[in-house]
Amino acid sequence: MKKTLALVLSLVMLFAMGAVGASAEGEIINVMYGGGTPESMDPALNSASAGSNIIRLAFCGLMGTQVEDGVATQAPEMAESYTISDDGLVYTFTLREGLKWSDGSDFFASDFVKSWNRAADPALGAAYGYLFDYIARNEDGTLNVVADDEARTLTVTLANPCAYFLDLCGFTTYYPVKVDLADSEGAWAVDPATYIGTGPFRMTNFAVDDVAAFEKNPYYWNAENVSLGGVNAYLAEDSVAILAAYESGAADFIESMDPAEFERLNATYPGELVMGEQLGTYYILFNVHKDLSPEGKTLTIQEQSRVRYALGLMINRQDEVDYVTMGGEAPATGFFPNALSDGLNDNVRAAEGYGSWYAGTATPSEENPVYTQDMVEAINILIDLGYSYTGSIEEGNIMFTDVPVFEFAFNQNATNSAIVQYVQECWNSVGITATISTEAWATLQTKLGNGDAEASRMGWVADFNDCVNFLEIFISSSGNNYPRLGQDVGDYTRYTENTADAGLGAYWGLEGNQTWAEAYDALVEQIKAESDPEARAAMCAEAEEILMATGAVAPLHFYVNPYMVKPNVQNLAVLVTGDVVWNYVTIAE
């Protein structure tokens, strides 16, 4: 906190002196995404929104976003044009003439081939490495991507038709990097001398927990239409300090603030607080290797799935969005968010065939209105599984006495703190104890990736608008599969003999008798290959049902994206994917 406040004070002083206000190339803007220092700023290794938005300053891909009068549209970026074969399997991109890296060296079509093969290589261990499974493989395991440097073409052959492949080509994992400079740990990505990209800006300075500074890249293909002289992305994580920076004039754009401040901010800065649309789900995750059996009893893995599901049912999601987040979020009824498409339905949550798991989240129970219908269902699940308790539903004082304590980790900001405290109170009200562990975001990502967490808050914002983007998080090979479904225990040491093989055993699927690879991975692969929209939609609904049956995820709400931006910042686009596009921003006098 002291370090962050000191950062704010230094920002105020610099702003007052005009040191960060302008450059020879134009105005410099100061932004705070609120994610702290990213775990990685390597396009291949990053898997967080805050890191992605910093990466987008220095890098770009075949496809990108054009912004006119604040309206964003998908458009070719490094590609000048593209063609798609009649069978949907072959994409041929023609690159723009004269493309260069930000150090002025020539960029070649073959740089895409090298970069994509690096990102797809299992040896790199990229969390998003599975996104390259859409591309067919050669016999030697490399991607079926052919470059002709002289003709400036890149020919990509897919394993199956993919309606959103162009979206992938505009996603950060598909951004090319200078492979010769990129190490496998991501250290190259914090050094301006090696952080060489093709985007609208280029790095000039990086300091952990301080700033990632960028100036306009004169070698960007569309540099003549970039008005900003640079962007300073300050790596603060404390919501109070971030808001103080905005109110002092030291920051022009922020994305992290205490929901309790919304009413005051709307009154004080009319029009500057925006509740942006966002395609995402905020959820709790549980490590399937944590044994939740009551004292003196051993629950099967399938029974423990019901316990996790009951923990999720305990939370009044309507109260959470009305009194905790207060930003216009919608209570979650499943893992797929509102407005998500499956290729047939524009909003799967309103489509026939999709389930609803929290139907009574705010409806008082007829047995006792002290509890919601969902809470009573949860209480009865735990009673049926043999947990000890005092009191009763009828008296409204039921307290469980032998639900094992578990660690609940989260990364610190005002919104997360308020949500976690609320969830903890919901559990405490029936005798369930979660011990809170506060972590820096980068530290928590590492802990989750290693499997060394029992429960955590998490969020997922769409990289592209299709159900498969939310399903692929939990395939066995995904680096974002923090519940460890289809995976071993990793670094987690508090498992029991009963749960040691929970991730890998045949405990999953609608009948509870398949491995995760059989029940889920195979179904996701079918979804990716299926060309019949109705059949595909049915499989998407089934995959969500299989996921929700594990109890490993408990969705709380569907996102909105509160942000504040100064009135003189014009032609800014904040996309439903959480991406912030600075390329074509202008600063009004």
Side-chain angles (χ1 to χ4, degrees):
M1 179 67 173
K2 289 181 179 178
K3 185 168 185 178
T4 308
L5 288 174
L7 168 62
V8 172
L9 291 173
S10 66
L11 270 171
V12 173
M13 292 175 63
L14 286 169
F15 190 85
M17 294 185 294
V20 295
S23 76
E25 290 291 335
E27 297 290 328
I28 294 178
I29 201 161
N30 300 314
V31 307
M32 290 181 164
Y33 295 116
T37 300
E39 182 184 14
S40 176
M41 294 198 308
D42 183 329
L45 295 176
N46 172 71
S47 60
S49 294
S52 176
N53 272 320
I54 294 175
I55 289 167
R56 287 177 182 275
L57 296 171
F59 295 85
C60 63
L62 289 167
M63 301 297 293
T65 303
Q66 297 295 315
V67 184
E68 187 172 348
D69 296 328
V71 178
T73 55
Q74 185 190 69
E77 179 82 20
M78 296 180 71
E80 180 179 76
S81 62
Y82 60 86
T83 61
I84 307 173
S85 63
D86 291 340
D87 61 5
L89 291 176
V90 181
Y91 286 66
T92 302
F93 298 91
T94 299
L95 302 190
R96 297 183 186 276
E97 190 171 0
L99 289 174
K100 292 185 180 294
W101 294 100
S102 57
D103 61 359
S105 58
D106 291 335
F107 182 94
F108 299 102
S110 55
D111 288 321
F112 272 107
V113 179
K114 290 184 286 187
S115 191
W116 287 5
N117 275 301
R118 170 185 180 264
D121 189 342
L124 183 65
Y128 271 127
Y130 60 84
L131 288 180
F132 290 96
D133 291 345
Y134 292 94
I135 301 175
R137 301 270 178 167
N138 299 314
E139 289 186 5
D140 62 359
T142 58
L143 300 174
N144 192 339
V145 182
V146 179
D148 184 329
D149 289 337
E150 185 174 348
R152 308 193 322 275
T153 60
L154 188 74
T155 303
V156 185
T157 302
L158 304 186
N160 296 289
C162 177
Y164 45 86
F165 184 68
L166 291 177
D167 293 313
L168 290 174
C169 290
F171 184 55
T172 53
T173 308
Y174 272 66
Y175 287 180
V177 305
K178 267 200 166 185
V179 172
D180 292 345
L181 297 178
D183 57 70
S184 59
E185 291 77 32
W188 71 278
V190 295
D191 184 350
T194 52
Y195 204 56
I196 306 300
T198 56
F201 304 95
R202 59 185 181 186
M203 182 186 283
T204 58
N205 184 48
F206 178 85
V208 174
D209 295 337
D210 186 355
V211 67
F214 296 85
E215 66 180 3
K216 179 177 176 179
N217 173 18
Y219 300 108
Y220 178 53
W221 74 270
N222 203 15
E224 64 181 22
N225 289 314
V226 177
S227 297
L228 290 177
V231 179
N232 294 320
Y234 286 92
L235 308 175
E237 196 165 9
D238 185 274
S239 301
V240 174
I242 290 171
L243 182 55
Y246 185 87
E247 294 197 85
S248 72
D252 304 288
F253 173 93
I254 62 172
E255 274 193 318
S256 180
M257 63 211 81
D258 189 337
E261 296 277 10
F262 288 164
E263 185 175 355
R264 179 184 71 83
L265 294 173
N266 270 321
T268 308
Y269 309 99
E272 295 182 39
L273 175 61
V274 181
M275 297 299 176
E277 296 181 10
Q278 195 163 42
L279 198 60
T281 302
Y282 190 106
Y283 62 100
I284 299 168
L285 65 87
F286 298 98
N287 188 333
V288 297
H289 296 281
K290 167 67 177 177
D291 199 327
L292 293 169
S293 299
E295 186 176 352
K297 185 177 176 69
T298 299
L299 297 181
T300 67
I301 301 302
Q302 294 88 342
E303 289 172 329
Q304 299 208 38
S305 294
R306 296 186 65 205
V307 177
R308 292 188 292 267
Y309 176 57
L311 291 173
L313 283 170
M314 294 287 183
I315 302 156
N316 185 324
R317 287 156 173 78
Q318 190 65 57
D319 279 359
E320 187 238 349
V321 300
D322 286 347
Y323 306 115
V324 181
T325 59
M326 298 183 290
E329 296 86 355
T333 54
F335 192 70
F336 294 148
N338 287 327
L340 186 69
S341 171
D342 58 13
L344 175 68
N345 303 289
D346 291 335
N347 180 359
V348 298
R349 285 274 68 90
E352 185 177 350
Y354 285 86
S356 181
W357 284 267
Y358 308 109
T361 188
T363 306
S365 170
E366 293 181 0
E367 295 182 55
N368 188 332
V370 167
Y371 302 118
T372 67
Q373 289 180 354
D374 281 357
M375 286 188 75
V376 168
E377 181 182 351
I379 289 167
N380 283 325
I381 287 173
L382 296 183
I383 291 173
D384 290 346
L385 290 173
Y387 287 90
S388 300
Y389 61 94
T390 61
S392 68
I393 294 174
E394 291 73 22
E395 295 176 0
N397 61 351
I398 197 161
M399 297 291 285
F400 290 96
T401 59
D402 59 356
V403 176
V405 174
F406 55 90
E407 181 186 80
F408 189 18
F410 76 103
N411 56 301
Q412 177 73 48
N413 68 34
T415 303
N416 288 340
S417 297
I419 293 171
V420 168
Q421 182 179 350
Y422 173 73
V423 171
Q424 186 183 35
E425 289 172 356
C426 290
W427 289 335
N428 285 346
S429 71
V430 291
I432 297 170
T433 301
T435 59
I436 302 302
S437 173
T438 306
E439 313 273 2
W441 178 224
T443 304
L444 179 58
Q445 281 186 284
T446 300
K447 184 174 182 176
L448 288 164
N450 292 338
D452 195 19
E454 295 187 332
S456 179
R457 57 71 48 189
M458 189 53 57
W460 189 264
V461 178
D463 302 317
F464 49 88
N465 188 4
D466 190 272
C467 284
V468 75
N469 184 224
F470 283 77
L471 295 174
E472 284 185 314
I473 310 168
F474 302 107
I475 61 174
S476 299
S477 61
S478 170
N480 299 306
N481 181 354
Y482 298 141
R484 311 293 292 187
L485 291 159
Q487 299 181 358
D488 61 24
V489 295
D491 289 350
Y492 185 60
T493 59
R494 287 167 283 177
Y495 61 89
T496 65
E497 183 179 352
N498 182 42
T499 61
D501 73 333
L504 295 173
Y507 307 119
W508 311 110
L510 298 180
E511 303 300 323
N513 59 0
Q514 295 176 287
T515 65
W516 191 246
E518 294 167 341
Y520 188 84
D521 295 357
L523 183 57
V524 174
E525 284 302 309
Q526 290 179 50
I527 291 169
K528 290 161 65 174
E530 182 57 61
S531 58
D532 181 283
E534 291 189 4
R536 189 176 191 273
M539 287 190 285
C540 286
E542 181 182 346
E544 184 187 31
E545 184 178 359
I546 290 170
L547 174 64
M548 292 298 295
T550 68
V553 296
L556 297 186
H557 64 256
F558 302 138
Y559 274 117
V560 295
N561 182 20
Y563 63 89
M564 295 192 75
V565 60
K566 297 296 184 183
N568 63 337
V569 177
Q570 299 181 351
N571 211 35
L572 173 69
V574 181
L575 310 184
V576 295
T577 56
D579 301 319
V580 185
V581 184
W582 295 104
N583 305 33
Y584 307 112
V585 164
T586 58
I587 307 298
E589 295 294 333

